[in-house]
Amino acid sequence: MGLTYNSTGTGALEKNLKIERMTDDDKVIALAGNPNVGKSTIFNGLTGLNQHTGNWPGKTVTNAQGKYKFKDRNFILVDIPGTYSLMANSVEEEVARDFICFGNPDATVVVCDATLLERNLNLVLQTIEITNNVIVCVNLLDEAKRKKIHIDLKKLSELLGVPVVGTSARTGRGLDDLVKAVYDVTAGKIVPEPIKIEYDEEIEKAVSVLEPAVKKYVNGNLNSRWISLKLLDGDDTLLSSMEKYLNFNISSNREILLKLEEAKELLGNNGITDNIFRDRIVSGIYSVAERLAKQTVSFENEKYNETDRKIDRILTSKIYGIPVMIALLGVVFWITIIGANYPSELIASGLFWIENRLADLFILLDAPLWLREMVVTGIFRTVAWVVSVMLPPMAIFFPFFTLLEDLGYLPRIAFNLDSFFKRACCHGKQALTMCMGFGCNAAGVTGCRIIDSPRERMIAILTNNFVPCNGRFPTLIAIITMFFAGVFTGPLKSFISALLLVSVIIFGIAMTLLVSNMLSRTILKGMPSSFTLELPPYRKPQIGRIIVRSIFDRTLFVLGRAVCVAAPAGLVIWILANVYVNGHSLITHVAEFLDPFASLIGMDGIILLAFFLGFPANEIVIPIIIMSYLSKGSLIEFENLSQLYEVLVSNGWTWLTAICVMLFTLLHFPCGTTCWTIKKETQSWKWTVLAILIPTVTGVLCCFIVANTARLLGLV
């Protein structure tokens, strides 16, 4: 029995992907492309705010959907993962292939980089082997123009046999033409007739043997030639997907099995093994892409990318690469430290003014004193602390981080660190996920999806917490400024603070590598996998887009999550501080219980308790310490760090205490949001518990060694 549209097509994936059609005439469009071709910009440009994200069924790969309307029809745009190929060597490639093949989209838009068209055409050619309804979008024409690269779009369309549209998505140029082309293809006004890729004679003979049997089965609903090629390739992932989406097990179809055996015997007689078969398929596609590029692309200057290469010779140099990276990191943190002080004070003043008005409201309503204190000085004040402390550094750090990303520098960081991660027997892409952790460890954990190997992905997840997130920066900066940079004045003070902060971060990176290596040799044994890291061209950043993206996608997102956990944390803190047993608050009792152990690792019970209570949000650790030392029932605010320094010193803090607190701040367990994210990504409480225990045990050991070494040497 053959396949019908009742057993295949969008319906097979629609339910799991939660594709919601407004009418039966709505069209589903797949948006494909290599990484760094501007696919997301096109997606955002077409769909605006009318979009949502989720995960592909059973995969930790993000699926973005958006809607737009053109003329009389609604379109649902599905942004499939960026990939270089549909050979299914990774989860992303498998997801992209399955949606194009089994999701039966009404059309597939393949986005290409105009400056790297030949390489991008490989994906185009692989896509038109699966489906006829393809529109090629040649993006970044502005970049190509700047580099004096000319592309004959009309000729390329004629050679490919599908519509080709040129765009500069960042400025919106060409998007109207793209929308029209999609409409014309889905409405049947344009009927694409894609180029047929001819392979070696032996391969074509084998395909001719197998395809008739396959064609009889698929009934024209799937590309029988492409299915035949994949069966000859021995693609197990395709067989699994066919069984999953089509309820088809090849072992149950005797006719196809016999023809497949006959075709493979024909290949074997000609000395074509599975590896040789795939190599010839890849070579065939590459040769066609090369021929098409030669016929349609011309260069005024063959050395158009020479400037990029000159810059790369410095930024990715074995001599200068790492020092430049550290210097840039130092500059970013220096600006963050300098710039965050005044806004933080301003926001704090505003929020505490609101607090006073909120207290007046409770008095006006004649609310009980305990309720007023609990809501105002407990919940609201904790949230105010988190906002005033977190928002300014994030509002500065995230735009700079996004700027480096937009410029194309982050892949260079991964390139520089790749050899270090390889030596640690983990994946080079972990360098990118680690960088994401500087902003938010939860985001870094989510970013580990880009690592294909499950073993290496798990290592990256378990060690992401070793780089300080934005929530831990304020604590580190405050301690560095008070105890180590405080002897300096003027610009030198902020410079020393930034330098010391960079040193702490380098230590965190070193711990990441050390623990990753230990994990790869113990519970997560294995050899590092290989991967190809693309170094995208340097591009002029769009400042407006950077600000919007960093504020809405990162700053407000992270801040929102922190506020959500800070509010209940504030309630718990207030209860512990205001419930008394035998004349002492619960905080005091718990701190006394923890004090002997805390002393062994260079701290006291109150500090250790503050870390536990700060589990929902790292930003509230210092405020809890202050509140406990001063025996206050709520968090308090200081006008400057000098006042805070006096309180800490008067409660027994020394330079050793400061170092141990910094070490534990850097190495202790992840925050509540990160832990929840780890649970979602791993789908396992076992790995979540390990993600908590590994940094905590590491932090305790480091603090124990430092504290007791200093005591033995008589340094304190």
Side-chain angles (χ1 to χ4, degrees):
M1 185 178 93
L3 296 174
T4 68
Y5 279 111
N6 292 325
S7 59
T8 65
T10 325
L13 285 170
E14 236 175 47
K15 186 176 180 181
N16 286 331
L17 283 179
K18 299 179 180 178
I19 295 176
E20 298 178 359
R21 298 172 183 256
M22 301 292 290
T23 69
D24 292 337
D25 292 329
D26 290 0
K27 301 298 181 181
V28 177
I29 310 300
L31 187 65
N34 291 180
N36 302 307
V37 297
K39 188 160 61 74
S40 297
T41 307
I42 290 174
F43 179 80
N44 293 330
L46 294 180
T47 62
L49 298 176
N50 193 15
Q51 55 184 253
H52 68 275
T53 59
N55 277 358
W56 294 84
K59 310 287 185 183
T60 54
V61 177
T62 302
N63 139 48
Q65 296 177 37
K67 296 180 180 179
Y68 71 91
K69 189 170 183 176
F70 183 73
K71 292 185 178 181
D72 58 341
R73 188 157 291 164
N74 297 316
F75 293 86
I76 302 169
L77 197 60
V78 181
D79 186 11
I80 63 180
T83 179
Y84 296 103
S85 166
L86 298 178
M87 297 291 185
N89 292 314
S90 69
V91 177
E92 286 80 6
E93 291 179 11
E94 185 183 336
V95 165
R97 179 205 65 192
D98 284 356
F99 187 73
I100 295 171
C101 184
F102 306 111
N104 193 38
D106 297 282
T108 299
V109 176
V110 185
V111 184
C112 301
D113 183 345
T115 66
L116 300 165
L117 187 61
E118 181 181 329
R119 185 179 68 192
N120 285 217
L121 282 173
N122 295 311
L123 182 64
V124 173
L125 294 171
Q126 290 179 54
T127 305
I128 63 179
E129 283 198 309
I130 300 176
T131 175
N132 287 353
N133 290 345
V134 173
I135 300 97
V136 176
C137 172
V138 181
N139 192 34
L140 301 171
L141 285 179
D142 50 344
E143 289 286 330
K145 184 179 180 181
R146 183 173 65 83
K147 295 178 177 181
K148 298 182 179 180
I149 301 172
H150 304 284
I151 301 172
D152 190 336
L153 298 177
K154 185 178 179 181
K155 188 173 183 179
L156 181 61
S157 178
E158 292 173 355
L159 293 172
L160 286 171
V162 301
V164 176
V165 180
T167 62
S168 297
R170 292 195 290 182
T171 61
R173 177 189 163 196
L175 292 183
D176 290 341
D177 295 333
L178 177 62
V179 168
K180 186 178 184 304
V182 171
Y183 179 88
D184 289 343
V185 170
T186 56
K189 294 182 179 181
I190 295 177
V191 181
E193 296 180 1
I195 181 178
K196 179 183 176 183
I197 302 174
E198 297 285 346
Y199 296 104
D200 295 348
E201 183 181 353
E202 295 87 354
I203 293 176
E204 291 296 336
K205 284 181 180 178
V207 171
S208 67
V209 171
L210 179 60
E211 188 180 2
V214 174
K215 193 172 185 178
K216 186 190 300 185
Y217 179 76
V218 301
N219 270 354
N221 295 327
L222 297 174
N223 191 308
S224 57
R225 175 179 169 85
W226 180 78
I227 294 287
S228 301
L229 284 166
K230 294 288 107 180
L231 290 175
L232 289 169
D233 187 26
D235 191 337
D236 293 334
T237 64
L238 177 69
L239 297 178
S240 175
S241 294
M242 289 179 71
E243 185 173 357
K244 179 179 180 181
Y245 297 116
L246 309 182
N247 293 319
F248 169 62
N249 190 333
I250 191 173
S251 62
S252 64
N253 192 301
R254 182 168 176 78
E255 182 181 1
I256 292 179
L257 279 178
L258 288 173
K259 291 297 181 181
L260 179 60
E261 187 178 343
E262 183 183 342
K264 286 212 170 198
E265 186 179 351
L266 180 63
L267 291 171
N269 292 336
N270 287 282
I272 301 176
T273 63
D274 288 346
N275 289 336
I276 293 175
F277 180 88
R278 173 166 282 208
D279 287 343
R280 290 195 180 183
I281 293 293
V282 172
S283 298
I285 294 172
Y286 269 75
S287 62
V288 174
E290 184 180 14
R291 174 168 57 82
L292 292 172
K294 282 182 179 179
Q295 292 177 274
T296 57
V297 183
S298 59
F299 303 88
E300 279 189 38
N301 179 13
E302 293 291 340
K303 297 182 178 179
Y304 68 92
N305 63 345
E306 187 62 26
T307 302
D308 285 6
R309 301 290 73 82
K310 285 181 179 178
I311 297 173
D312 278 341
R313 279 196 283 272
I314 297 173
L315 296 185
T316 61
S317 161
K318 290 183 179 180
I319 300 173
Y320 304 111
I322 298 296
V324 169
M325 181 185 74
I326 293 172
L328 276 174
L329 192 65
V331 169
V332 169
F333 287 131
W334 178 72
I335 295 173
T336 302
I337 292 169
I338 290 292
N341 290 329
Y342 180 73
S344 184
E345 292 176 6
L346 194 64
I347 293 170
S349 299
L351 289 173
F352 281 98
W353 180 88
I354 295 173
E355 179 189 307
N356 292 331
R357 304 292 79 76
L358 189 61
D360 293 339
L361 177 63
F362 272 86
I363 293 172
L364 185 66
L365 297 172
D366 199 26
L369 178 62
W370 66 268
L371 180 62
R372 184 181 77 199
E373 293 292 324
M374 184 177 66
V375 174
V376 178
T377 62
I379 298 173
F380 182 85
R381 187 173 292 182
T382 304
V383 172
W385 255 95
V386 171
V387 173
S388 62
V389 170
M390 278 191 72
L391 184 55
M394 279 198 301
I396 297 170
F397 178 80
F398 278 143
F400 273 105
F401 190 82
T402 310
L403 175 66
L404 294 176
E405 185 181 9
D406 224 39
L407 281 168
Y409 182 63
L410 286 190
R412 272 82 183 174
I413 292 178
F415 179 87
N416 290 331
L417 295 175
D418 178 57
S419 61
F420 294 100
F421 281 96
K422 286 282 178 66
R423 291 173 196 167
C425 295
C426 45
H427 204 287
K429 286 183 180 178
Q430 190 174 334
L432 287 173
T433 65
M434 182 186 68
C435 289
M436 294 172 69
F438 284 125
C440 173
N441 290 133
V445 169
T446 303
C448 293
R449 296 172 179 178
I450 65 175
I451 300 174
D452 303 324
S453 163
R455 182 191 73 86
E456 292 166 337
R457 188 187 310 125
M458 190 61 68
I459 291 174
I461 289 173
L462 295 177
T463 59
N464 192 266
N465 189 65
F466 286 113
V467 292
C469 65
N470 200 77
R472 287 178 281 169
F473 278 138
T475 300
L476 293 171
I477 292 169
I479 294 174
I480 287 171
T481 304
M482 287 187 294
F483 285 87
F484 304 104
V487 295
F488 302 95
T489 57
L492 186 60
K493 183 177 181 179
S494 57
F495 174 78
I496 296 296
S497 295
L499 185 64
L500 292 172
L501 183 59
V502 170
S503 301
V504 171
I505 289 165
I506 291 173
F507 178 75
I509 295 172
M511 293 302 301
T512 301
L513 293 168
L514 176 62
V515 176
S516 295
N517 185 268
M518 292 174 64
L519 288 172
S520 67
R521 296 179 184 275
T522 52
I523 61 175
L524 290 167
K525 288 182 180 180
M527 292 297 295
S529 60
S530 61
F531 79 108
T532 301
L533 178 64
E534 179 190 14
L535 295 181
Y538 294 101
R539 294 184 178 128
K540 183 180 178 181
Q542 292 182 298
I543 303 301
R545 179 169 164 265
I546 287 172
I547 293 172
V548 170
R549 212 167 101 212
S550 59
I551 290 176
F552 288 98
D553 292 354
R554 291 174 172 169
T555 304
L556 294 182
F557 176 70
V558 175
L559 185 66
R561 288 195 303 193
V563 168
C564 289
V565 295
L571 176 61
V572 173
I573 293 167
W574 185 87
I575 292 172
L576 291 174
N578 289 274
V579 173
Y580 282 74
V581 177
N582 297 327
H584 297 284
S585 66
L586 291 177
I587 279 185
T588 304
H589 285 290
V590 177
E592 288 176 353
F593 173 77
L594 295 174
D595 203 59
F597 176 75
S599 178
L600 289 174
I601 57 176
M603 297 184 287
D604 60 36
I606 284 180
I607 300 171
L608 193 57
L609 176 60
F611 278 108
F612 291 137
L613 294 177
F615 173 72
N618 289 301
E619 297 75 22
I620 59 177
V621 170
I622 288 293
I624 294 171
I625 293 173
I626 301 166
M627 179 183 71
S628 304
Y629 282 152
L630 298 179
S631 301
K632 299 288 184 179
S634 60
L635 301 179
I636 64 170
E637 175 71 38
F638 285 96
E639 293 181 2
N640 53 60
L641 288 178
S642 298
Q643 293 181 355
L644 174 57
Y645 176 76
E646 291 174 4
V647 171
L648 297 177
V649 171
S650 64
N651 282 274
W653 277 52
T654 64
W655 64 269
L656 180 60
T657 313
I659 287 178
C660 289
V661 172
M662 286 172 61
L663 283 173
F664 204 69
T665 298
L666 179 69
L667 303 176
H668 80 292
F669 46 82
C671 70
T673 302
T674 304
C675 289
W676 181 244
T677 305
I678 293 170
K679 171 61 175 63
K680 285 176 53 180
E681 292 298 310
T682 63
Q683 297 295 310
S684 167
W685 282 112
K686 180 187 77 172
W687 293 113
T688 306
V689 171
L690 273 175
I692 295 171
L693 289 176
I694 289 171
T696 304
V697 171
T698 304
V700 168
L701 287 175
C702 285
C703 290
F704 178 82
I705 293 169
V706 170
N708 289 283
T709 300
R711 289 164 182 163
L712 286 171
L713 295 175
L715 300 176
V716 288

